[in-house]
């Protein structure tokens, strides 16, 4: 049903052509959670039992990121203008998340730019990083560092721009602000920060080994 009423904040927000979601929020959130769990399990299975549990989780993380960035954020990058009136599953996933950040419903310039970079740069590079770890490519930790830095930088800007706007685009309900906005996005602060430290550790060790007298003798 087409309506001018909507569940987004600020309540004065105008969304002409908005069509109410046909699916309840739990179905949209559940679909994303199930897809993420499936990618995590696939990454774990493909990463090989010879790796440590922490490394297998890190490898699996990049497969999850490839899916989230490439599919969800890729969809938003291409369809953000049609989002308020769209009733497909991916559109309704974004409509549910937009209760935590209504900038996704208004084609906000920063949000579109940030999500487009995430979709078309960090998405493919996340998958490339996943493949690099599977085949033990020597550039795997370089890719881990590049992708994680990009993710962390984008997420910091995402939080910072909303903070400067006075946190006005989120429903204050704890589910939407603390779970969706802070919790979900916080994952892309904590995990990339840990992976940056991990990549720096391995790259520093490789550089030390390269600079050692024994190496110079060769």
């Amino acid at each position: 049903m087409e309506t001018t009423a909507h569940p987004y904040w600020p309540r004065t927000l105008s969304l002409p052509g908005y069509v109410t979601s046909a699916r309840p929020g739990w179905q949209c959130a559940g679909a994303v959670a199930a897809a993420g769990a499936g990618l995590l399990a696939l990454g774990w299975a493909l990463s090989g039992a010879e790796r440590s549990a922490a490394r297998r989780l890190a490898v699996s993380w990049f497969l999850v990121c490839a899916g989230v960035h490439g599919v969800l954020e890729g969809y938003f990058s291409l369809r953000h203008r049609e989002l308020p009136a769209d009733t497909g599953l991916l559109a309704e996933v974004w409509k549910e998340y937009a209760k935590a950040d209504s900038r996704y419903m208004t084609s906000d310039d920063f949000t579109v730019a940030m999500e487009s970079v995430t979709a078309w740069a960090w998405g493919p590079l996340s998958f490339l990083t996943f493949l690099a770890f599977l085949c033990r490519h020597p550039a795997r930790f370089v890719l881990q560092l590049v992708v994680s830095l990009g993710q962390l930088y984008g997420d910091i800007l995402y939080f910072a721009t909303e903070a400067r706007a006075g946190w006005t685009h989120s429903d204050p309900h704890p589910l939407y602000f603390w779970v969706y906005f802070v919790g979900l996005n916080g994952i892309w602060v904590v995990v990339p920060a840990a992976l940056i430290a991990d990549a720096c550790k391995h790259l520093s060790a490789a550089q030390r080994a390269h600079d050692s007298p024994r190496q110079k003798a060769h």
Side-chain angles (χ1 to χ4, degrees), residues 12 23 39 46 50 72 76 79 125 135 138 151 153 155 158-159 163 178 184-185 191 205:
T12 55
R23 299 172 181 85
L39 287 172
L46 292 175
E50 72 279 3
L72 271 182
F76 175 79
R79 299 276 299 172
L125 282 173
C135 67
Q151 291 173 325
Y153 180 64
D155 218 14
Y158 178 69
F159 278 122
W178 290 108
L184 291 178
N185 290 292
V191 176

Side-chain angles (χ1 to χ4, degrees), residues 151-206:
Q151 291 173 325
L152 181 60
Y153 180 64
D155 218 14
I156 288 172
L157 288 180
Y158 178 69
F159 278 122
T161 52
E162 180 60 6
R164 286 185 59 82
W167 312 101
T168 57
H169 298 98
S170 181
D171 186 323
H173 189 286
L175 172 65
Y176 302 124
F177 184 75
W178 290 108
V179 177
Y180 284 11
F181 184 76
V182 176
L184 291 178
N185 290 292
I187 294 171
W188 269 270
V189 171
V190 174
V191 176
L195 291 175
I196 288 168
D198 176 65
C200 288
K201 172 187 166 186
H202 283 85
L203 292 171
S204 296

Side-chain angles (χ1 to χ4, degrees), residues 2 6 18 45 48 62 67 89 125 129 136 138 151-152 154 174 176-177 180 186 190 197 214:
E2 186 171 321
H6 59 73
Y18 172 74
F62 286 107
L89 176 60
L125 282 173
T129 306
R136 300 184 184 276
Q151 291 173 325
L152 181 60
Y176 302 124
F177 184 75
Y180 284 11
V190 174
R214 184 175 60 84

Side-chain angles (χ1 to χ4, degrees), residues 30-104:
V32 173
L39 287 172
L40 192 68
L42 178 61
W44 180 273
L46 292 175
S47 61
E50 72 279 3
R51 292 182 172 91
S52 69
R55 183 58 57 200
R56 294 179 78 181
L57 282 174
V59 173
S60 303
W61 161 259
F62 286 107
L63 184 59
V64 173
C65 287
V68 171
H69 298 334
V71 178
L72 271 182
E73 290 163 301
Y75 175 88
F76 175 79
S77 173
L78 296 174
R79 299 276 299 172
H80 58 92
R81 291 186 182 87
E82 294 80 23
L83 195 55
D86 201 335
T87 57
L89 176 60
L90 291 179
E92 296 203 342
V93 166
W94 280 114
K95 285 182 178 181
E96 175 65 12
Y97 176 75
K99 294 171 186 175
D101 187 351
S102 65
R103 291 180 292 177
Y104 285 87

